[in-house]
Amino acid sequence: MNDSDLRPEAFFDLSNPTTATFFEGCTYVWEALTRLEGHVARLTAGGRRIDGTVMSGAWLGDGPIVIEEGAVVEPGAYVVGPAYIGRNAVVRHGAYVRENVILLDGAILGHASEAKHALFLPHAAAPHFAYVGDAILGHRVNLGAGTKLSNLGILSAKDPATGKRPTIKLTIDDQAYDTGLTKLGAILGDDAQTGCNAVLNPGCIVGPRTLVYANASLRKGYHP
């Protein structure tokens, strides 16, 4: 393995300029998460535009929120924002959209699922009982029911002196990488899938077209 295997184009089809924008200037795929807040601000322009359908019983927070034409937010969902919900995306009943979430065209955040600081590329889906924190889902990724993309290590207590948490470090083929991120969920390449109740521990970097079996607990690192 070499560093090119960890570049965004090794995980995602970036032929569409709209998608490629999220990864411009990134040497490593996880660096896109550091730019996510800025992209939400760009897409919402710091304001509010509701062109899609927000059904009765859904709740929208006071932050910047854009819901594009054809998108649907179902009853019982709560969009806190800032958030961008693209064309034909669906936020299903009981879903919780926290800060800095982008659902691109046709993406799904499903029943009793929560997303925070996450990017869903077109047609990515977390349809049932999922947690998607500090994560990127590639095109057509599907998370089986109950999948958890854990974003904070169990040994990541804040340093009493500095008040800071340790950054997440990965060792891949004996090469050490400091992501610089204190929170890092999973990054799943295009067409990856997880089975029901899979847990991806903080710092899982999963290659495209990969299957993670049901009930698996995937260790941090690179899974080509």
Side-chain angles (χ1 to χ4, degrees):
M1 194 210 79
N2 54 50
D3 284 359
S4 64
D5 295 321
L6 298 174
R7 295 182 65 85
E9 54 267 32
F11 294 83
F12 311 117
D13 177 0
L14 301 182
S15 59
N16 185 321
T18 300
T19 303
T21 297
F22 295 100
F23 302 96
E24 287 179 354
C26 295
T27 300
Y28 301 114
V29 67
W30 55 79
E31 293 174 352
L33 288 168
T34 67
R35 299 160 167 78
L36 193 56
E37 183 176 355
H39 285 296
V40 177
R42 170 179 62 85
L43 291 167
T44 63
R48 196 177 188 89
R49 177 168 54 82
I50 312 299
D51 292 335
T53 299
V54 178
M55 300 177 71
S56 177
W59 292 83
L60 303 183
D62 295 329
I65 296 172
V66 167
I67 301 175
E68 297 284 9
E69 184 178 356
V72 176
V73 180
E74 294 184 354
Y78 182 20
V79 182
V80 178
Y84 175 84
I85 300 173
R87 287 178 178 270
N88 303 314
V90 180
V91 179
R92 291 179 177 166
H93 170 266
Y96 184 26
V97 181
R98 291 174 56 193
E99 64 274 12
N100 297 316
V101 172
I102 296 173
L103 305 180
L104 294 180
D105 296 2
I108 297 172
L109 185 69
H111 173 66
S113 295
E114 176 181 346
K116 171 254 176 189
H117 199 257
L119 171 61
F120 289 55
L121 296 188
H123 303 287
H128 325 277
F129 307 101
Y131 177 71
V132 183
D134 298 274
I136 302 173
L137 306 186
H139 300 83
R140 300 169 300 278
V141 163
N142 189 75
L143 303 184
T147 295
K148 305 296 186 289
L149 308 184
S150 177
N151 62 341
L152 184 62
I154 197 168
L155 299 178
S156 59
K158 293 181 180 178
D159 185 292
T162 65
K164 295 182 178 179
R165 300 183 189 274
T167 56
I168 293 176
K169 301 175 179 64
L170 308 177
T171 300
I172 303 170
D173 287 352
D174 298 323
Q175 174 69 40
Y177 297 88
D178 187 341
T179 67
L181 301 169
T182 58
K183 293 184 178 181
L184 171 59
I187 296 173
L188 289 90
D190 291 347
D191 298 298
Q193 298 184 56
T194 67
C196 293
N197 295 319
V199 175
L200 279 64
N201 287 281
C204 281
I205 313 298
V206 180
R209 298 172 298 281
T210 300
L211 302 180
V212 179
Y213 286 167
N215 295 312
S217 179
L218 203 62
R219 296 183 65 178
K220 73 175 181 179
Y222 172 54
H223 302 272

